[in-house]
């Protein structure tokens, strides 16, 4: 089961996608009789999936919720899973800001932490952009070192 934070006009909603493909509204905004499904991103199956290393006391939520993983596919990195204790992600009926740094580190910045978990589902980024940012930073550092 993956948890996504989706748009309902001026509000956000929690929508879960189960392993059988069933999409369920769980909580949040539903004032306009519609919900945007854009932002639902995941790689089906486990081929190419790797466990996401966790630090600083974060751990997998467990149960029927997806394990924290990442998949590199066609130059895109897709992060998914549910972790305890951290783009705009879901924390039940609230949103939270999580940043993905150029070294791949994922950090909770601000927003909902009421339920002591946060969904990583929906994080996807072009790894060439990340590699480009790392190279630019390295070149700037090398240039500064030379004076």
């Amino acid at each position: 089961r993956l948890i996504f934070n989706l748009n309902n006009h001026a509000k956000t909603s929690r929508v879960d996608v189960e392993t059988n493909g069933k999409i369920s509204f769980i909580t949040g905004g539903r004032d306009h009789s519609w919900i945007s499904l854009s932002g639902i991103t995941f790689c089906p199956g486990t081929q190419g999936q790797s466990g996401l290393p966790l630090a600083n006391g974060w751990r997998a939520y467990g149960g029927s919720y997806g394990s924290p993983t990442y998949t590199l596919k066609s130059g895109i990195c897709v992060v998914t899973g549910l972790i305890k204790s951290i783009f705009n992600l879901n924390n039940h009926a609230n949103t939270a800001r999580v940043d993905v740094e150029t070294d791949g580190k994922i950090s909770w910045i601000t927003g909902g932490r009421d339920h002591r978990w946060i969904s990583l589902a929906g994080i996807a980024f072009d790894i060439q952009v990340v590699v480009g940012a790392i190279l630019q930073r390295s070149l700037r550092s090398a240039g500064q070192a030379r004076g």
Side-chain angles (χ1 to χ4, degrees):
R1 172 182 291 228
L2 300 175
I3 298 173
F4 292 91
N5 186 62
L6 300 177
N7 179 275
N8 173 249
H9 192 59
K11 297 182 178 177
T12 61
S13 300
R14 173 184 164 182
V15 171
D16 288 10
V17 177
E18 297 178 34
T19 56
N20 64 4
K22 180 181 177 188
I23 299 173
S24 302
F25 171 85
I26 304 300
T27 189
R30 57 186 321 171
D31 298 346
H32 299 281
S33 301
W34 62 267
I35 192 165
S36 172
L37 298 179
S38 56
I40 294 179
T41 307
F42 60 93
C43 294
T46 58
Q47 185 177 8
Q49 259 184 7
S50 298
L52 187 65
L54 301 176
N56 299 321
W58 293 98
R59 61 186 191 278
Y61 190 86
S64 65
Y65 297 99
S67 297
T69 63
Y70 69 94
T71 305
L72 298 175
K73 194 165 201 150
S74 302
I76 302 293
C77 180
V78 178
V79 182
T80 195
L82 190 68
I83 60 174
K84 292 182 184 180
S85 219
I86 218 209
F87 301 48
N88 186 26
L89 300 174
N90 188 274
N91 174 246
H92 197 59
N94 301 310
T95 59
R97 176 179 161 192
V98 173
D99 287 358
V100 179
E101 298 178 27
T102 55
D103 63 359
K105 180 180 174 186
I106 301 172
S107 303
W108 177 87
I109 303 299
T110 190
R113 288 181 89 159
D114 308 11
H115 298 280
R116 300 185 56 81
W117 59 263
I118 193 158
S119 174
L120 299 175
I123 295 176
F125 54 90
D126 185 331
I127 60 172
Q128 290 186 4
V129 171
V130 173
V131 169
I134 292 169
L135 288 174
Q136 285 180 353
R137 189 172 56 206
S138 296
L139 290 172
R140 274 196 306 269
S141 294
Q144 290 172 352
R146 289 186 203 142

